Every structure is written in structure tokens, then in C-alpha cells.
Amino acid sequence: MKKLIAGNWKMNGSLSANESLLAEIKAGLVNVSTPCDVAVCVPGVYLSQVQSLLGGTSIAWGAQDVSAHEKGAYTGETSGAMLREFGCRYALVGHSERRQYHGETDLVVAAKAQRALAFGVTPVVCVGETLAERESGDTMLVVKRQLAAVIHAVGHCVSEVVVAYEPVWAIGTGRTATPEQAQEVHAVLRAQLVAACTRGSGPRILYGGSMNAANAAELLAQPDIDGGLIGGAALKAADFIAIISAASVAR
Ligand code: PGA
């Protein structure tokens, strides 16, 4: 399976910074032979800019959230139909920062995944345990519960989602899960997804949490790590390209 490297810009960027970052990424990609799949998930206000800069290239783009509702009186929200109109292939759903700072529950996350799929946008469903949950031995329980809510909502369509395992304690901390720690969780998620899918090996499972140019190859060599969701390192073209190169070799 071709790997997927998706950048999560979070609340970073400006019209000029985005333009130079994407120009550098496009230039860097030319030197990567048979690159993996690549995407950037950007703040909503920049979707139009990114659509015009990336349209016709092999780089896909996406949003960082999507509304659980179809349309109407939901001030501040963006619908799946709107994302589709701006060419989004992906929408992050249930990122730990959304769960933590915006009170998104498993049910809300599942509804968002369902809504994205309904509009032809692939949800990148983020799951992951906090440090306290890992230390109390609840990692598998937590990630399986988070994923089960999505499987329950979308049924056999789960084969169309992307899952991202992002241990909360590894996000933006510089503290990466070891390849063994990540693989252990990915294998559990894989088994859960395969059991829910009617055919195939199921969706891609990305690892996220301080993945960088130095540790990407080792993480991506794990049998159940199908790509990466990259925060900080996605804002530096050279680092992002280095991760893409590592993922393009590791098949
Ligand atoms: P990080 O963020 O790579 O900066 O740890 C990953 C994410 O939050 O998606």
C-alpha cells in the first residue's frame, strides 16, 4: 500500500508564508522518485489559496475539522459540502486538540466522520491516549473505544477513512513513541479495522506525534504504519520533504 504523509499546519501560516512553503515543497517533490501520497491540512481560510496553488499537482489538501451538521444555524462551522467545493480530499476529525480544547466526544467525532464521508471528503480520524491513560495501562482500551464509535457510525464505509494514531503525550512535545510502541497500537487498530471491513486490508493507519526527518524512516518501516500525520515538521519544507522521501522508500 502506498504510504500517505499528511501535514497538519494547525493554526499557522499566512498568505505569503503558505505560498513560499508550498513552492518549496513542490520544488522538493520533483526530486523524489515515485513519491508516496502527500497532503496538507490547512486552516479553513486558506483553502481557496491552497486550492489554486496545488490544483493540478499531485499534492492533495484538506481541512482540520468539519461540522457534524449538514447546514444551517451553526455559527463558525464549515460543512462537508463547503470543503468539497474547495477541492478538499481530506478533513482531520477528532484531533486531540479538538477533543481537549473543544470538548469533542467520541460521538461527535463519529458524526463528523460520517458527515465528511457523505460529502466525498475522506476523514482522517485521530485517536490516541493521554500520558495518564498510558501510565495506567489503558492505551488499548482508549484507542479501541475511540475507533469503535466511528466504526459504529459509518459501518462498512470504514474502509474509506484514514486513521491516525496520535499519542497525546507525543504531540508537539518532541517525545515520539518508539517504533515498537507505535507498532503495538497500530496492530491492535489494524485488527479492529480488518474485523469491521468487508473486504481488503482496511484503511491506512498513520502515526502522528513528533514525527520528524530523523525518526520517520524507523517509524515508517513498521509493518502497520502506513504513513504519518505531521505537525511541526510540516511547516519546514526541507523536513517535510525528508519525511516524504522516507515514506516513498518504505513501501
Ligand atoms: P507534531 O503534531 O508532529 O507537531 O507532534 C502532530 C499532530 O498534532 O498532528
Side-chain angles (χ1 to χ4, degrees):
M1 178 175 356
K2 218 175 182 186
K3 298 206 190 277
L4 167 64
I5 296 297
N8 172 12
W9 288 3
K10 308 195 181 189
M11 199 171 71
N12 293 294
S14 67
L15 288 172
S16 61
N18 303 344
E19 193 173 344
S20 32
L21 177 60
L22 290 176
E24 283 180 59
I25 292 172
K26 281 195 275 188
L29 256 186
V30 172
N31 301 318
V32 181
S33 63
T34 54
C36 62
D37 290 335
V38 179
V40 289
C41 294
V42 309
V45 287
Y46 295 130
L47 285 172
S48 169
Q49 181 198 18
V50 168
Q51 181 179 33
S52 65
L53 291 174
L54 295 182
T57 75
S58 61
I59 306 174
W61 58 95
Q64 298 172 7
D65 188 26
V66 60
S67 178
H69 306 283
E70 189 181 346
K71 64 175 178 175
Y74 300 102
T75 302
E77 303 234 317
T78 305
S79 73
M82 295 169 187
L83 298 186
R84 195 60 250 168
E85 201 169 17
F86 285 87
C88 288
R89 172 131 10 123
Y90 300 101
L92 303 183
V93 163
H95 189 280
S96 66
E97 286 149 18
R98 302 285 323 164
R99 293 180 190 260
Q100 198 179 340
Y101 307 136
H102 301 272
E104 292 191 8
T105 62
D106 292 344
L107 275 182
V108 167
V109 173
K112 289 183 169 194
Q114 196 173 21
R115 195 64 79 182
L117 282 173
F119 287 105
V121 176
T122 300
V124 179
V125 176
C126 304
V127 301
E129 82 288 2
T130 62
L131 186 57
E133 287 162 343
R134 173 160 283 267
E135 284 174 346
S136 55
D138 289 334
T139 297
M140 302 307 180
L141 200 80
V142 169
V143 297
K144 285 171 78 173
R145 188 203 70 221
Q146 291 173 332
L147 184 56
V150 174
I151 292 172
H152 181 76
V154 308
H156 68 272
C157 292
V158 76
S159 58
E160 292 161 38
V161 312
V162 171
V163 173
Y165 168 55
E166 297 206 306
V168 178
W169 47 271
I171 295 177
T173 58
R175 195 177 152 188
T176 322
T178 64
E180 296 73 27
Q181 281 174 324
Q183 168 57 30
E184 192 185 11
V185 178
H186 278 236
V188 166
L189 295 173
R190 173 86 65 213
Q192 190 179 2
L193 288 164
V194 167
C197 291
T198 42
R199 61 192 124 79
S201 57
R204 289 195 274 206
I205 310 173
L206 315 183
Y207 169 79
S210 298
M211 192 189 269
N212 58 38
N215 62 27
E218 212 187 348
L219 285 159
L220 292 164
Q222 299 302 309
D224 290 302
I225 300 186
D226 306 319
L229 182 55
I230 320 297
L235 297 172
K236 296 176 215 128
D239 292 9
F240 195 52
I241 289 292
I243 297 170
I244 290 168
S245 304
S248 305
V249 174
R251 268 165 204 256

